[in-house]
Structure formats: C-alpha cells, structure tokens
Amino acid sequence: MKRFNLKTVLLVGAALALQVAAVWGAAPRTSGAGNALADLHTALGVTCASCHGTAKVAAVDDSERSINVTCVGCHGNLDAMAAQARAGSHVNPHKSHLGDINCTVCHMGHVQSKAYCTNCHAFAMKIPAGDPVPQKPAPKAAKKAAVKQRVERADVVVIGAGAAGMTAAITAHDAGARVILIEKQPITGGNSMLAAGGMNAAGTRFQKAKGIADSVELMYQDTMKGGGNIGDPALVRVLAKESAGSVDWLTSLGADISDVGRMGGASVNRTHRPKGGAAVGAHIAGVLKKNAVQRRIDIRLNSKVVKLIEDNKGRITGVQVEGKHSGLYTIKAKAVVLTAGGFSANADKVAFYRPEYKGMTTSNQPGATGDGMDLGAKAGGELKDMKEIQIHPTVAAGSRILITEAVRGNGAILVNHEGKRFVNELTTRDKASAAILAQTGKSAYLVFDEGIRKSLKQIDGYFHLELVKEGATIQELAAAINVPATVLEATVASYNAAFDGKSDPDFKRPDIPRPIRTARYYAIEVKPGVHYTMGGLKINADGQVLAASGTPMAGLFAAGEVTGGVHGNNRLGGNSISETITFGRIAGASAAKLVKGGAKK
Ligand code: MEZ
C-alpha cells in the first residue's frame, strides 16, 4: 500500500476540503461533517478497502486494533508521529501519558472520537479529524437485541480496565483462569492512568533502604483516622497488611516505585512513586497493560457491559456486552469481577448525592460515571457510603488538571489572594479543600521554588501545560499573581524559619522537607474539584460483593473505586493505587479460586 506522510495527508486534505462535498455522494459511511478520516481519505482517492481490507469491508473489531494496524502502516506509530512534532509547538499530543493508544481514540474514523486530550486539558488544541461534531444517535441496543445474540464463554470476566481491572485480570490469568477484560472506553488505564502522587505502602524494602520506620499498624491507624473512623476495619487492615506485598508484586512485573514521599494524613513517608518523582499512574497503567498483553489476555475496548446475567439461583453467570461495532452479545462466565471505578465524572450523580458540589470541576477521566456500581446494585449488591465524595484541594484553576498533593508533600505552601498561608498544607483533603473554599475567590496559590520543582519530575508537566506563573524573586512572583509583595515575602520568610527551626507554630504542618529560598519562584492557582467517590459496592476481605443481607453474592467480586468501605469518609492521598493493586489481586485470586472449584461460592 502507498505510504502517506500524515502532514501531507492533512495539508492535502485541507486543500481538498471544498472537494469533499463533491465526492460526498461517493464516500463511504462518514461523520456527516466532512472532517472524519473517512472523508479526508476518500477525498485523496484512498479507497475503503485500503483501510478496512478487501475481505470484509467495514468489519472492524470493537478494539479497532485491525484498523489501527492500517493507520500505523501508512503513518508510523505514535513514536514516529511524535518525532514529527511541529517545531515551535510545546504540545506534542502523540507523546502522552495515555501510552500506546489507537489513532481512532482522538481522530474520528466515521463517528466522533473521544478526543481524550481536550477532555481534560485546558489549552486549545485543534485535532485533525477530531472536531466535536453532532452525530446521528447510535442505533438503540434494543433494536439489535431482536437478532439472536452470539454467546461466548470465559472463566472470568473483568469489567473495567483500570489498575484494579488489569491487576485482577493478570492475577486470575496467572492462577490458570481464561479471562476476558472488558473496557467501555477506547483506552485502558481508567482513572489510574491519571494518578499522580503515588502508592501508599508500609514496611516496604524501599522505605527500609531510606531508613523510614513504618508499620502496618501505623498505616492502618492513619487510614482509619483520615477516613473519619467510619472505614471498614477488616478492609483497612487488608489494605495496610498487603501493601508491601503489592509493591513487590508490581516491582516483579517491571514497575519502578522506588521513590518515597509524603501525602496528607500520613505519619511517615510511605507514598511510593517512580524514581525522580514522575507520576505513578501512567507508569503503572503502562506496566500492567504490557503484562496483560504479554499474557495474551483478551482485552476488549469500546465494549460496555449492560447487564450482569444471573441464573435461577441468583448466581452471577456472565455478562451482556454491547460492542461499539459488534453490537450486543453474551459472555457466559464462572465469575465476574467489577472494577469499573467511581462516578466523579458523572455530574448528575455527584449532584444527586451532594447537591453542594453541583457544577464543580472534576479531575477524573470522562468514563468515571459509576456504571459498575449500577450494574452491581441492580443485581442485588449493597451500596454503602455513597454520599462520601472527595474534593481534591488542588485542581488547576480553569482546568481539570490535578496538581498532585506531592507538590505540597515536597515543600510547597498554599497562599491566599492576600499573600498569606491559611492551613497546614499536609492536612487531609477534606480539611484543605474546605480551607481553600473559605478564601477570597474560593481559590489559592500553590507556591514553590526551584528546589521543590527539581525534587518532583511531574511538576515539569505543569509548565508544559502553561499552568505556572513565575518570578526571579518573591517580589516578582507576587506581581505575577497579583498579591501584596511585602505580605508574600513575610509569609515565605516565616515558612523558611519554620523549616530551619523544624517546627511550624502557626499551622502545625508535620513535615517541612524543603524551604522556599532557591530562585526561581513559582505559583499555580488551584481550586477544589471532585476527585474520588469513597462509596460503592460493599465487599468482604475476599473481594466478594455482599448483598443487603450481608451474604456474599455468588460469582460476583469487586475491587477498587467501584467498592465502598476502604476509605471511610475521606481517602488519604496514595491509598487509591494501593487499594486497586491489593484488592485487584485479591478479587482476581478469589475469582480464579471459584473457577477452579476451591471456593465456597
Ligand atoms: O491518591 C491520590 O488521589 C493522589 C495521590 C492524588 C495526588 O494528589 O497526587
């Protein structure tokens, strides 16, 4: 097949835009906007068969892997595309934390793509063939249901391919089960992909190497206290006890989580992240995906589970799936694991449970809509703590970009529009968020210096996204963010004195690892945003979903944010990735045990 350079394709495509209307009648299924890849390619004389193959034109698998092979064949892979980035552009969308994703995630083939970057980033980004265009509504599932559905079989179906799902799938696979991992979004990773600060674990080899004295009991106590002592003690014990083993497990799969820092509410440094302080989520999601692919686990993207299937004894025996291209079908399974995440990106649901959060931004990916909880509840699972919704104190103002708590952990302070500190920056998220919402403009500035910047690699990303204001002196920084210079100078001087004296009399911050005295000086305006939903399906320590009666539901397991009970009324930073790995391993192992006949249910 002829190789096209993307730049050429797009330039020629633009020049031919007027001709597109003329060829429209001859074009295959298009978006109707003249700006889908189908339109651009057709205008260039590229036939349907060039992309879809001749055997069965338009036969595209739900994961769109086949079509992606063709895109890559002509244009090169993401690395090749990233290498061609336009000079002068600081944004290189082909090189991102989303990892190795299909071209059709952001560029629409025929129907509107998800255009992931523009879902979260505030900067204007013109994505070729990525315009949001009005679409004809997709055919209703009910119509397709009229035709006989195909039925497949698996030992274990895992619903949701974030960290918990990929972990459960890998664990069940390694225990001998035949696993299908279903994901409604066009990419794997879920919210875990966006996790920034790190993974909490107590008593790890990395803590020991740094001389950090921690214990399972201390992590348990911190987690219970941070969650208002309403967390399920049995689940919190498991989280703390298994955490070091989960770090070892991830490390054995190839992850680097050797750097250790501190998050709010922790008594010691126990938040593990890649060396140099890179974001934890994209790294871990990449490692898990690679391991799942190496094991040839059947991962199906663009596939939404619409129903859990029960037998006449109430056992969960499979799922009904709606594939983007394949329509409705059934997978019969001996065990189903729900790992579909929380509902922070479902504004209606958030407002239903907490009307006061109506209209608030979220740090979550768009798929975090709570479908997994709905599926489990509809099948008889008990929901708990649904009103416990976490507001993260530091989402960059005017965006959905989370500014990781690790910036504060590594030394940054929160300053109000009057130039003053107003809270212990390492307090728990509920308290820090409430303190920010009480300030002028319901926002604050996160202030740090070059030393703190150098201590945490992920800060570079905030510069890249143009979220940072700066100055060569504190005075210059004050001018850049429009706060009184003398007040800001006094605030920083007093914080540096607290660092020198190892005590923070004003706000009782428990740990000041660095002062703020190395030019340049930086500030990011931050506002609280919906970050995490602590509530969800009730589970036991084996990862079994519990019915209202308290008895385990036969064949149904769950792990991660879809569950409730681990975090009480406030999750500690770093406990989410920890939960996904530990409970993902437990749910995967329990499901495999059921398949092998070793479990009660
Ligand atoms: O666990 C989290 O939510 C987390 C570590 C977030 C962050 O601020 O980085």
Side-chain angles (χ1 to χ4, degrees), residues 138-189:
K140 284 259 183 304
K143 281 187 194 152
K144 289 185 188 169
V147 288
K148 194 168 176 336
Q149 285 171 34
R150 81 173 189 274
V151 177
E152 298 186 33
R153 279 171 207 283
D155 290 333
V156 178
V157 170
V158 180
I159 306 172
M166 290 195 280
T167 298
I170 291 169
T171 306
H173 167 93
D174 289 359
R178 201 163 54 86
V179 179
I180 298 180
L181 174 56
I182 303 282
E183 170 57 53
K184 72 174 178 180
Q185 295 297 96
I187 64 172
T188 56

Side-chain angles (χ1 to χ4, degrees), residues 1-2 4 9 28 37-42 45-61 64-75 104 109-110:
M1 191 191 316
K2 188 169 170 11
F4 292 98
V9 170
L37 295 179
D39 308 311
L40 298 175
H41 285 76
T42 308
V46 179
T47 63
C48 305
S50 300
C51 293
H52 293 280
T54 47
K56 197 175 172 204
V57 169
V60 178
D61 62 297
E64 299 180 351
R65 272 183 287 259
S66 51
I67 203 82
N68 204 56
V69 167
T70 319
C71 302
V72 169
C74 286
H75 300 288
T104 45
H110 297 282

Side-chain angles (χ1 to χ4, degrees), residues 117-124 194 359-365 392-404 443 461-462 465-468 524-531:
C117 306
T118 49
N119 261 306
C120 298
H121 295 294
F123 51 77
L194 302 176
M360 199 177 249
T361 188
T362 176
S363 61
N364 281 212
Q365 57 95 17
H392 193 292
T394 60
V395 177
S399 84
R400 288 173 58 179
I401 310 289
L402 183 83
I403 306 300
T404 174
S443 73
Y462 310 141
L465 296 171
E466 301 179 344
L467 298 171
V468 188
I524 301 175
E525 189 181 359
V526 290
K527 285 187 166 197
V530 180
H531 182 58

Side-chain angles (χ1 to χ4, degrees), residues 194-200 263 271 280 390 392-394 402-408 429 458 462 531-532 571-577:
L194 302 176
M199 166 177 174
N200 289 346
M263 292 282 164
T271 308
V280 74
Q390 180 169 78
H392 193 292
T394 60
L402 183 83
I403 306 300
T404 174
E405 195 172 317
V407 184
R408 280 174 283 145
R429 292 175 175 175
Q458 51 195 299
Y462 310 141
H531 182 58
Y532 192 88
R571 178 174 65 76
L572 293 188
N575 267 357
S576 174
I577 289 290

Side-chain angles (χ1 to χ4, degrees), residues 170 253-254 286-297:
I170 291 169
L253 295 188
V287 167
L288 291 171
K289 165 115 183 265
K290 192 168 159 207
N291 274 273
V293 170
Q294 274 167 356
R295 286 163 170 77
R296 297 181 186 279
I297 290 174

